[in-house]
Structures are given as structure tokens and as C-alpha cells.
Amino acid sequence: MRIGIYSKVALAISFLVAGSEASAPLFSLTDSDPTSQEFKRNYLGSYGINAAIEPRLQPEDRETYDAVLPHLNSDLEEAIRILVDWVEPESNAAFNFLLGSLYYMKERMDESEIELKLAIEKHPSFRRAHRTLALVYAHRDDVPKVIEHLLKVVALGGGDGQSYGMLGYGYLREERYRSALGAYQSARVFAPDSFDYKRGEAQCLLNTKQYEQAVALYDELITDSPSNPEFWLLQGNALLALDRREETAANLEMARSLGGETFENLSLLANIYIQNESIGLGAEVAASSMQHAKPGDADVAMRQLEYLIRGRYWEEASGLATAFEKWLEPKLEANQAREFAALCAAIDLGLGRNKVGIGVLEKVLEEDPLNGTSLLLLGKHYMESNKYEESEYYYERVLSVESFRR
């Protein structure tokens, strides 16, 4: 038989971030944002043609190249006009690439894609054309195509920090964490202090359960940005996975002081305190969590309340119930409201307010005759009051509740 609220309640320690175990929200890019002007300048580099790995200019190409060259750093529209007038279907792929790059710089992405694809069709190993086409797809948020062309860049010997960084972010968005980790580690060979690359690598370490390494890298990120609560929380994930709960609690408290208060974070902090037998502190934090709770959080909150009741921490449970009533009760569904009423009645019984508690439980049973928690509480109350017939009556009714028979 299931023993309801007096059974052992396992307050499962969950990770701080919703979703899969140890996952984290995708972060916004800062120093490696492919849409930034600085990134474009650094990534595209010179418009000159690298004859060693790209289509060679033939003598007949020189006139076009010399005509457009003076405008590349001063008047991109004029450079585009010249190329549009002069470039023909059979022209050198280098000019398609150049025109596609200029269109990209002017954010004319459709035209850029057409020219870059023509360049690659004419010269499949055109590395810089693959690089720039990857950027076009990055602007369109087409992650699979970004990855496809960046892999071409790497295969053609163009594995620089920016390419590996973009590749890592693409893999991260597709939740291919091991691939993303390898790409970010390669990117950091070129730019070891990049904030984005550190952040990406740390997130991948967390998602691949390499918790010791994740803790160490989050130390660096916290040093770089000590007022960012997210880093304290994510490092807390790793510390919790290593069962370093006191350090986890310290991280949660730091995040809390920096404005990182959510129901999930505070609920976890409360669980840690309660399991470490700091009951008063845990109940206080749990009560604070209620103002951040959403309707879907009610069951978790009631499990915390149930835990305190099971331990007979009546005053702490009463304080938590008051906070629950203020912040969450208006959001409850009918069955949750009855369950909460039964838990409040358990507190009343524990504090000696028997008449109030019994009245609430009987009212719950009027609405829901198979409310197992209420039946169990009444059975236990009458047993402790030596009213065995009444106790047996309620215990027998509990046996008719499917979920309480196991």
C-alpha cells in the first residue's frame, strides 16, 4: 500500500536549467557574431585573389580586375556596377566570388548566394567562396547549410578560428555537443581568450558530462564576467553533478544576489538546505521561490510542502503554505487545490488545530470522495486519537484509491 504523504518523499535534485540534463539556453554571440561589421571585415579579409588555391587570373581578366580594384575600399556600389556590366557566364569564377562578396557586404543576400554558387560550380574547391556562402546562410539562420560549407572550408585547409567558432555554434544549435566541443577547442587554439569560444566550450563540456573541466572553464568565465548570474548557475550544474552541494548552494546564493532568482533555482537551493538539515533556511528559500512560480510549478512546490509535513516541521510548513497560498493558490487546477487544502489540513492537525483540520478534510472529501491524501490523514488522526473504528473506516477507503494501493 502506498503511504501517501507520510511515505519517504524523494526531493529529486534537478538541474537548474529546464530541458535535457545539464543543458543550457543557447547564448547570444558577442565577439564572434557573424552579422557584425567587424566580423565581416575580419572574415572576408582582402578581396585579392589567392592564385595558389583559387582560380588563377588569366591575361584577359586583368582589364576587369584593374577596373574594379580602385573601388573596393571606397565605393562598393561602383565596383558592383562594373562587375555586373563586365562579368559574363563564362567569366572567371574569381569574379563571381568577388561580386558575391560585394553583394554580401551590401547585405544583398539573394544576389550574393547566386554569385557564390556560380563560383563554386565553376571551381568546387574555391575555399573563400565556401566561407562567404556560409556567412550568407548564417544571416538566414540556415544552420545545416552553414555547417556544410564550413566543413568544406576546413577540408580545403581553411580552418581558422572564426570558421571553427561558427562551426561550433552551428553544432551547438543542433545539439551535437561532442562535435561542437571539438570545433570550439580548435577555435580557441587561434583565439584562446574569446569570450564566445570559452562560453561555447564550457556549455559543451557540461552537456557531455565533463563536469570537472566545465567547473574549471566556468571559473574563467566568472572571472571575465563576475556579475553574470548565468555562469554561476551553470557552474552550479556541474558542481551538483559532482555532488559538491555546499559549493552548489554557494553558487546559487551568488546568482540569487545578482538577480538570478527563478523558481527552479530557488527551489533547488531550498532542497539542498533541507537535505542538509538546514530546515528553517530551506523553508525560507522555498517560500521566496513562490513569487516566481508559474502554474506548472505547483506540483514541485507541493512536494516541498509535503516533505516538511512528513518531517513534522509544522511551523516551517505553515510559513511555506502561507507563501504558496499567496502566490500559487489562485493558479491551481481543481484537483491541485484539493490536494493543497489537504496538506494545509495536515498542518492544522500537526499544530493541534484538530477541528479546523478535520473540517477541511471532510469538505475535500465531499468534493472528491477518493482523495487519498485526505482519507489517509483522517485515518491517521483517528488512529492517534484511539478512535479505531473511525480510523479503520478511512483506511479501508484508502484501499479503494488505485494510486494508493501500491
Side-chain angles (χ1 to χ4, degrees):
M1 182 179 76
R2 184 177 173 218
I3 314 181
I5 66 168
Y6 292 102
S7 64
K8 182 177 179 181
V9 177
L11 284 180
I13 296 294
S14 58
F15 282 92
L16 310 178
V17 187
S20 61
E21 182 178 292
S23 67
L26 195 68
F27 56 89
S28 299
L29 296 174
T30 55
D31 59 13
S32 66
D33 182 0
T35 64
S36 71
Q37 291 301 316
E38 182 180 2
F39 187 95
K40 289 179 183 178
R41 287 193 296 271
N42 293 337
Y43 193 76
L44 289 172
S46 168
Y47 293 114
I49 297 168
N50 186 338
I53 59 172
E54 297 173 358
R56 292 176 179 274
L57 287 179
Q58 303 303 317
E60 61 268 23
D61 299 325
R62 181 56 59 183
E63 183 180 0
T64 304
Y65 186 68
D66 289 343
V68 78
L69 183 61
H71 303 288
L72 292 180
N73 292 318
S74 59
D75 190 347
L76 298 187
E77 291 291 353
E78 178 62 16
I80 289 172
R81 187 195 64 76
I82 292 170
L83 286 170
V84 169
D85 286 345
W86 288 25
V87 172
E88 298 177 348
E90 65 274 11
S91 294
N92 194 311
F95 292 124
N96 296 109
F97 162 70
L98 182 54
L99 183 55
S101 297
L102 293 172
Y103 280 139
Y104 171 77
M105 291 298 290
K106 299 301 291 184
E107 298 191 1
R108 294 163 65 175
M109 298 301 171
D110 291 344
E111 294 157 293
S112 177
E113 181 186 18
I114 291 169
E115 295 299 329
L116 293 169
K117 281 184 170 181
L118 283 171
I120 292 169
E121 183 180 329
K122 294 176 182 179
H123 197 93
S125 62
F126 202 157
R127 190 174 71 194
R128 286 194 300 162
H130 285 291
R131 282 165 58 98
T132 308
L133 192 52
L135 278 175
V136 170
Y137 290 131
H139 273 259
R140 291 182 179 168
D141 209 28
D142 190 339
V143 176
K145 287 186 177 179
V146 171
I147 292 173
E148 175 190 345
H149 287 279
L150 287 174
L151 288 175
K152 291 275 191 181
V153 172
V154 172
L156 291 167
D160 61 288
Q162 288 175 315
S163 296
Y164 280 122
M166 285 181 64
L167 188 57
Y169 194 67
Y171 281 138
L172 194 61
R173 291 190 59 183
E174 292 197 336
E175 299 183 1
R176 296 162 66 180
Y177 299 117
R178 291 197 179 277
S179 296
L181 178 60
Y184 273 123
Q185 289 174 333
S186 296
R188 290 193 65 211
V189 171
F190 296 91
D193 295 325
S194 166
F195 187 70
D196 286 345
Y197 300 165
K198 282 185 187 179
R199 192 173 187 177
E201 182 180 352
Q203 189 165 322
C204 292
L205 289 169
L206 194 60
N207 281 280
T208 54
K209 302 184 180 182
Q210 300 179 60
Y211 299 121
E212 292 283 4
Q213 298 94 316
V215 168
L217 193 47
Y218 277 117
D219 274 337
E220 290 188 28
L221 286 164
I222 287 169
T223 299
D224 293 340
S225 184
S227 61
N228 187 334
E230 183 182 342
F231 296 147
W232 293 97
L233 293 172
L234 291 172
Q235 188 183 55
N237 274 348
L239 291 166
L240 184 61
L242 295 168
D243 202 31
R244 291 157 59 177
R245 297 193 181 188
E246 289 186 4
E247 293 170 85
T248 302
N251 273 51
L252 290 169
E253 287 287 13
M254 182 59 71
R256 185 183 182 189
S257 72
L258 295 169
E261 292 183 312
T262 67
F263 174 80
E264 292 79 11
N265 301 338
L266 293 177
S267 181
L268 175 58
L269 182 59
N271 289 352
I272 292 173
Y273 283 142
I274 289 170
Q275 291 194 348
N276 287 345
E277 298 186 0
S278 298
I279 305 301
L281 186 55
E284 178 186 333
V285 174
S288 296
S289 75
M290 295 301 163
Q291 61 185 294
H292 305 284
K294 302 178 290 294
D297 298 323
D299 288 338
V300 173
M302 280 197 281
R303 285 202 300 272
Q304 289 182 318
L305 183 58
E306 187 179 347
Y307 186 92
L308 294 175
I309 292 169
R310 183 182 67 84
R312 296 176 176 267
Y313 302 113
W314 303 119
E315 294 296 338
E316 292 83 357
S318 179
L320 181 55
T322 298
F324 189 106
E325 183 177 10
K326 177 179 179 181
W327 297 103
L328 262 179
E329 189 178 26
K331 306 172 185 177
L332 296 181
E333 296 178 2
N335 63 322
Q336 291 175 320
R338 287 191 291 269
E339 194 67 20
F340 175 60
L343 293 175
C344 290
I347 296 169
D348 286 327
L349 294 174
L351 292 171
R353 300 193 291 258
N354 294 344
K355 186 175 181 179
V356 174
I358 291 171
V360 170
L361 293 173
E362 289 177 344
K363 183 177 179 181
V364 169
L365 289 173
E366 286 177 10
E367 298 176 7
D368 178 14
L370 295 179
N371 185 278
T373 301
S374 297
L375 293 169
L376 192 62
L377 284 168
L378 285 170
K380 186 175 187 301
H381 168 71
Y382 286 123
M383 175 70 74
E384 291 175 347
S385 302
N386 298 323
K387 295 182 178 180
Y388 300 116
E389 288 188 10
E390 291 91 335
S391 175
E392 183 179 3
Y393 168 72
Y394 286 107
Y395 278 141
E396 285 180 352
R397 286 179 63 183
V398 169
L399 292 175
S400 66
V401 180
E402 177 66 30
S403 60
F404 277 71
R405 278 192 298 211
R406 295 189 297 274

